[in-house]
């Protein structure tokens, strides 16, 4: 049986940045195999980012984008300028959503697509307040209950890996996160 490609050890000789924009980086890598044959391969990498589940009135605030069929959690790329994920998240929430969180809790680090070598740090943000009405009003949001968000993940209504993981992590902690209902009636 003849294989159409070589399965031996490849050594990277060179890597050149080809494209960098909107959270995506493309490299052109040159490899050399044990036989001395050189080969070029394009490698795509998404920029590391911070993502947050935003909690409002015991529900998840999700952005509804015109070009996507499903609601999404807030995500902000580091763009190579900032190394501090938490500060980047705070800056992104202010610039992109027009909100500030009174409380932000880390939910940990994930690698949603190891092939793209992309690290995402997840956070839970609550006690939100609007700091820029104009920016906030320009977005379309929906409030989704914890049980509904969980069902959306389990029924594949939400397919984005980062959003799924964030919702499942948050759902597993909902008894700790949810504020008690103070109305006895």
């Amino acid at each position: 049986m003849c294989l159409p490609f070589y399965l031996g050890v490849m050594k990277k000789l060179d890597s050149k940045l080809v494209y960098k924009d909107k959270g995506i980086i493309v490299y052109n890598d040159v490899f050399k195999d044990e036989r001395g044959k050189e080969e070029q391969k394009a490698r795509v990498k998404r920029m590391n980012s911070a993502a947050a589940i935003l909690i409002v009135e015991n529900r998840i605030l999700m952005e509804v984008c015109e070009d996507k069929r499903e609601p999404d959690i807030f995500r902000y790329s580091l763009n190579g300028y900032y190394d501090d994920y938490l500060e980047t998240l705070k800056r992104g929430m202010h610039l992109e959503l027009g909100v500030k969180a009174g409380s932000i809790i880390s939910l940990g680090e994930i690698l949603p697509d190891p092939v793209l070598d992309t690290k995402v740090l997840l956070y839970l943000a609550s006690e939100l307040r609007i700091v820029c009405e104009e920016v906030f009003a320009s977005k379309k949001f929906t409030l989704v209950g914890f049980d509904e968000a969980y069902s959306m993940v389990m029924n594949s209504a939400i397919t984005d890996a980062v959003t799924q993981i964030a919702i499942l992590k948050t759902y597993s902690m909902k008894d700790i996160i949810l504020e008690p209902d103070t109305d006895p009636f």
Side-chain angles (χ1 to χ4, degrees), residues 1 7 22 35 42 46 48 56 82 92 98 111 138 152 168 181-182 184:
M1 183 171 139
L7 294 174
K22 297 188 181 191
R35 300 173 298 175
R46 290 188 58 106
N48 292 340
V56 176
Y82 307 100
L111 289 170
S138 71
M152 290 171 77
L168 293 175
D181 189 2
T182 56

Side-chain angles (χ1 to χ4, degrees), residues 116-182:
L116 297 180
D117 188 29
T118 305
K119 179 168 60 171
V120 178
L121 262 65
L122 296 176
Y123 294 94
L124 177 77
S126 59
E127 301 170 22
L128 300 180
R129 63 184 165 84
I130 298 171
V131 291
C132 186
E133 185 69 44
E134 186 178 306
V135 173
F136 187 78
S138 71
K139 304 288 183 179
K140 185 176 178 184
F141 297 103
T142 184
L143 284 172
V144 180
F146 282 84
D147 292 332
E148 182 184 355
Y150 177 80
S151 292
M152 290 171 77
V153 169
M154 299 312 288
N155 295 327
S156 298
I158 294 176
T159 57
D160 176 69
V162 174
T163 302
Q164 285 183 337
I165 293 167
I167 287 172
L168 293 175
K169 280 187 156 214
T170 305
Y171 185 80
S172 71
M173 301 171 15
K174 75 176 185 173
D175 293 336
I176 301 166
I177 297 166
L178 294 177
E179 296 175 12
D181 189 2
T182 56

Side-chain angles (χ1 to χ4, degrees), residues 17-176:
L17 178 66
V18 176
Y19 176 82
K20 182 177 181 180
D21 190 28
K22 297 188 181 191
I24 296 175
I25 305 169
V26 179
Y27 295 97
N28 190 12
D29 295 337
V30 178
F31 294 92
K32 189 177 203 177
D33 65 24
E34 293 170 333
R35 300 173 298 175
K37 182 180 175 189
E38 288 189 12
E39 189 176 327
Q40 287 190 7
K41 293 184 181 186
R43 177 172 47 100
V44 178
K45 180 179 178 179
R46 290 188 58 106
M47 289 186 199
N48 292 340
S49 60
I53 290 276
L54 308 175
I55 305 298
V56 176
E57 299 172 356
N58 285 339
R59 292 183 285 171
I60 301 170
L61 181 71
M62 300 183 79
E63 188 173 359
V64 179
C65 300
E66 298 296 325
D67 59 339
K68 290 182 78 176
R69 60 182 172 86
E70 60 193 50
D72 203 358
I73 64 170
F74 178 67
R75 193 173 328 176
Y76 197 70
S77 293
L78 268 62
N79 292 329
Y81 301 115
Y82 307 100
D83 291 331
D84 187 328
Y85 286 82
L86 182 57
E87 288 306 312
T88 299
L89 178 73
K90 289 177 183 178
R91 182 175 188 272
M93 287 172 58
H94 185 262
L95 293 174
E96 299 287 326
L97 301 179
V99 299
K100 184 175 184 176
S103 173
I104 299 178
I105 301 167
S106 174
L107 296 177
E109 177 184 310
I110 63 170
L111 289 170
D113 188 346
V115 173
L116 297 180
D117 188 29
T118 305
K119 179 168 60 171
V120 178
L121 262 65
L122 296 176
Y123 294 94
L124 177 77
S126 59
E127 301 170 22
L128 300 180
R129 63 184 165 84
I130 298 171
V131 291
C132 186
E133 185 69 44
E134 186 178 306
V135 173
F136 187 78
S138 71
K139 304 288 183 179
K140 185 176 178 184
F141 297 103
T142 184
L143 284 172
V144 180
F146 282 84
D147 292 332
E148 182 184 355
Y150 177 80
S151 292
M152 290 171 77
V153 169
M154 299 312 288
N155 295 327
S156 298
I158 294 176
T159 57
D160 176 69
V162 174
T163 302
Q164 285 183 337
I165 293 167
I167 287 172
L168 293 175
K169 280 187 156 214
T170 305
Y171 185 80
S172 71
M173 301 171 15
K174 75 176 185 173
D175 293 336
I176 301 166

